[in-house]
Amino acid sequence: MRTSRFVLRCFLSACWTLVNAIYRVIQRVAWLFDGTANELRARERPEQYENSAQVMRILFRFKFDEYLTPANVNDFILLHERFDSPEYVLQDHITLYQVTKNEAIFIEARPGSELWRARDHTPFIMPSQFKFGRKVVRIPISSFWRLADSLGDPKGQVVFLTNTARCGSTLLTQMFEVTNKIIAISEPSALNVLSKMTSKEKITNDLKRLVVATVRVLCKPTSNRELAYVLKLTSPAMQGLPLVAEVFPKARHLFMYRDSLKVAQSLYRLSEELPALKTLFVLGKGSESRLGYCVEAMGMPKDAFKFTLSSDLSVGTMLWGAMVKIYEQFRDAGLDIAAVRYEDIVERPVEAMTAIMRYLDLPENLALMAKSALEFDSQRDTPLASSVLRRHRTVEYSGREKAECDQICDTLDVPHLGQPYLAPGTITTKQNN
C-alpha cells in the first residue's frame, strides 16, 4: 500500500470520526425535543419489549478498513425512523452486525438479500453488511436475550471453523455454502468481540448468556431449510473456543491450516491492500505492546501475540505458529476438534469434503456439490483476490527474515516455515480417507 494512500485513509478516518461525533450530539439534542429520547429510555422496560427495536435509515457510511476494522454503529450516520418489535430482525435479509454489553446491532439489506451468500455479495459478511446495508436496527441487550431465548438453540448442526489465516478457510466456507443446505457465515464481527471479551474479562453468567444469544441469533432459521450452520472465525478469535464449546456442547469444531511459508508470504501481500493490517505491519514492529494494541484495534484478542517483531515474514510466522499451537493445546485439553488441510482439499476435493461431512454428521453426498466452489476465486472482486495480491512482491525466506522466523518457530515449538507439518487429528489426508 502506497504511503500517500495510507495517509489519505487515516485523514479521512479522522474527518469521519469528527463529523460523526458532531452529528450524534446534534441528533441527541433533537431527540430530547421530539420525544425520541423518552422512547429510547422506555424501551429498556420489559413491558416495552414489543416496541424496543429502533429502526434507523443509513444516510452515509465509512470505515477505515471495510474488512478488518470491527463492526460498529458509528460506521454509519443514521436517521431515526421508528420503533418496532425485535422479531422484525428474524427476516432473512436482516443480519447481526455487532453485539456490546448494552445492545445488539443488526443490518437490514434489500428484501430478498442473504448477505452471508458470498456469490452474491462479498466473501465476508461484515463488508457485505457495510456495503449493502440500507438500515440499522438497534435492540437493547435485555430484548436481545429475550429474542434469543425465544429462538432456542439452532435446530441444525452448528460448526465453528477456526484457522491460521490465509489458509483457504474462505474457500471451505464457500464449499459449504454452494450445497444450499448449509448456512455458512464468514467472520461475523460479533464473534471477534466476544472472543476478545473472554480473553480480557472474568467469565460471568452474563458473558456466557451473551455468547449463547449471539450464536442463536446468527444461526436463526431461514427459508432455506438448512441442515447446518458454519460460523467461520478470524484466526485470533479461536482463543474463545473453549467457552463456545462449553455453552454449545453438541457443536462440532474444525481447524484449517496450510503450508506455513505460504501463509506468512500471503499475509504480507494482504497487508499491502488492507489499511488496518498495514498499520499492524508498520506500527506493530519493534514493540510487543504496540503489536498487541494493533491486534486489539481490529477487535481481536492479543494473547497469542507475545513477540517483538522486525521482519515482514515474522507477523505471518507468529500467527501461523500461535494458531497451530493453540489448536494442539485444545486437543490435548480434550476439546473435540479436527484439522483440515488446504492442500488436501485442492488435490482431492470430493474425498476431502466427504471426510469433513462425515465428521460433521452431514450427508456425504453434499461433498460432490461442494466441489463447484473451486471453479472461481473465493475472494474475487475484492482487494483479497489472487489477481490483486499477485501484484505485490513475495518476501523471500532467507537471511534476516529466515533467522527471525526460525527463532519464532523455535519459541513456539513448531516446525520452521516450509517444513512438512501434519496437524494431529487431520481428517482430510489420503490415509484417513
Side-chain angles (χ1 to χ4, degrees):
M1 177 174 287
R2 293 180 179 177
T3 302
S4 57
R5 179 179 158 200
F6 179 72
V7 171
L8 176 61
R9 199 70 187 170
C10 293
F11 174 74
L12 292 175
S13 182
C15 292
W16 171 264
T17 301
L18 177 61
V19 171
N20 202 341
I22 294 172
Y23 176 83
R24 283 184 281 116
V25 170
I26 297 172
Q27 187 176 60
R28 282 196 292 267
V29 173
W31 285 351
L32 289 174
F33 288 97
D34 67 12
T36 304
N38 290 333
E39 293 184 83
L40 285 170
R41 285 191 292 269
R43 71 179 184 148
E44 301 286 347
R45 298 196 296 267
E47 62 270 21
Q48 293 295 321
Y49 172 77
E50 293 298 335
N51 203 38
S52 61
Q54 183 186 22
V55 182
M56 308 180 76
R57 179 156 52 92
I58 297 174
L59 300 178
F60 304 100
R61 68 196 78 203
F62 179 85
K63 285 174 72 74
F64 175 65
D65 189 322
E66 295 181 16
Y67 291 85
L68 291 179
T69 304
N72 192 296
V73 71
N74 293 329
D75 298 336
F76 310 98
I77 288 179
L78 304 166
L79 181 66
H80 172 77
E81 285 195 347
R82 69 183 191 279
F83 289 96
D84 212 316
S85 168
E87 276 77 13
Y88 179 74
V89 304
L90 297 182
Q91 300 176 81
D92 289 357
H93 65 286
I94 303 179
T95 49
L96 181 63
Y97 191 55
Q98 189 57 282
V99 292
T100 72
K101 292 181 178 179
N102 300 315
E103 67 176 350
I105 303 160
F106 293 79
I107 295 293
E108 178 178 350
R110 174 180 54 82
S113 300
E114 293 177 309
L115 293 182
W116 55 271
R117 288 193 182 274
R119 290 172 293 174
D120 302 328
H121 304 96
T122 77
F124 307 94
I125 191 167
M126 183 179 70
S128 293
Q129 292 169 315
F130 176 77
K131 182 177 181 179
F132 296 101
R134 293 184 172 187
K135 297 180 182 180
V136 167
V137 184
R138 305 174 71 171
I139 299 178
I141 203 65
S142 57
S143 296
F144 182 61
W145 285 344
R146 183 169 168 180
L147 176 68
D149 288 344
S150 70
L151 287 173
D153 286 344
K155 303 304 183 289
Q157 179 67 270
V158 179
V159 181
F160 293 93
L161 173 59
T162 55
N163 57 90
T164 65
R166 308 305 300 160
C167 63
S169 55
T170 302
L171 169 63
L172 180 57
T173 303
Q174 292 178 29
M175 294 180 81
F176 285 122
E177 176 194 322
V178 297
T179 67
N180 291 318
K181 295 295 183 181
I182 301 172
I183 304 294
I185 304 177
S186 185
E187 302 185 5
S189 188
L191 292 182
N192 287 345
V193 170
L194 292 176
S195 178
K196 182 179 175 182
M197 288 182 185
T198 60
S199 69
K200 295 188 68 175
E201 304 176 13
K202 182 179 179 181
I203 305 299
T204 63
N205 289 333
D206 279 353
L207 181 54
K208 289 182 180 180
R209 190 178 184 186
L210 189 58
V211 172
V212 170
T214 298
V215 173
R216 284 176 172 177
V217 172
L218 284 170
C219 301
K220 64 184 181 181
T222 75
S223 58
N224 295 280
R225 298 184 178 181
E226 57 274 359
L227 298 175
Y229 306 87
V230 174
L231 301 178
K232 176 201 165 190
L233 283 64
T234 58
S235 50
M238 73 179 291
Q239 295 174 80
L241 210 57
L243 176 58
V244 171
E246 177 186 341
V247 296
F248 286 97
K250 294 182 180 180
R252 306 309 299 265
H253 305 278
L254 294 173
F255 172 73
M256 189 164 184
Y257 68 103
R258 75 180 292 193
D259 176 82
S260 54
L261 180 57
K262 299 291 187 183
V263 170
Q265 291 172 331
S266 180
L267 196 67
Y268 169 76
R269 287 193 293 267
L270 186 63
S271 73
E272 294 296 299
E273 290 294 327
L274 300 185
L277 191 57
K278 185 66 174 181
T279 301
L280 187 150
F281 268 75
V282 174
L283 298 183
K285 291 179 182 177
S287 168
E288 179 183 319
S289 60
R290 286 202 308 269
L291 178 66
Y293 174 80
C294 290
V295 172
E296 287 198 318
M298 291 189 287
M300 305 173 193
K302 65 177 182 180
D303 297 17
F305 300 86
K306 303 290 187 182
F307 292 91
T308 301
L309 309 176
S310 62
S311 66
D312 289 332
L313 278 182
S314 59
V315 175
T317 303
M318 172 194 64
L319 185 60
W320 182 89
M323 297 306 105
V324 162
K325 207 63 188 175
I326 290 173
Y327 165 75
E328 293 177 351
Q329 291 168 354
F330 283 169
R331 283 185 59 87
D332 291 343
L335 181 65
D336 185 8
I337 182 171
V340 175
R341 190 167 58 177
Y342 169 77
E343 289 81 2
D344 297 329
I345 290 178
V346 173
E347 293 172 9
R348 301 180 308 280
V350 175
E351 292 87 345
M353 288 304 297
T354 298
I356 292 171
M357 296 299 180
R358 185 184 306 127
Y359 173 78
L360 299 178
D361 293 327
L362 294 174
E364 294 181 19
N365 61 2
L366 296 180
L368 190 60
M369 301 167 63
K371 182 183 177 182
S372 64
L374 290 168
E375 296 173 2
F376 47 82
D377 184 352
S378 63
Q379 306 194 52
R380 65 202 178 282
D381 301 325
T382 74
L384 292 72
S386 298
S387 59
V388 175
L389 297 184
R390 279 197 296 266
R391 302 172 190 167
H392 304 295
R393 72 182 179 96
T394 298
V395 181
E396 295 298 327
Y397 177 50
S398 60
R400 184 174 62 86
E401 297 277 356
K402 183 178 187 303
E404 182 172 19
C405 292
D406 289 352
Q407 183 179 9
I408 292 171
C409 291
D410 291 341
T411 301
L412 292 171
D413 192 24
V414 296
H416 290 179
L417 296 188
Q419 291 186 352
Y421 172 74
L422 182 65
T426 299
I427 59 175
T428 53
T429 57
K430 192 171 185 178
Q431 54 266 39
N432 285 340
N433 287 335

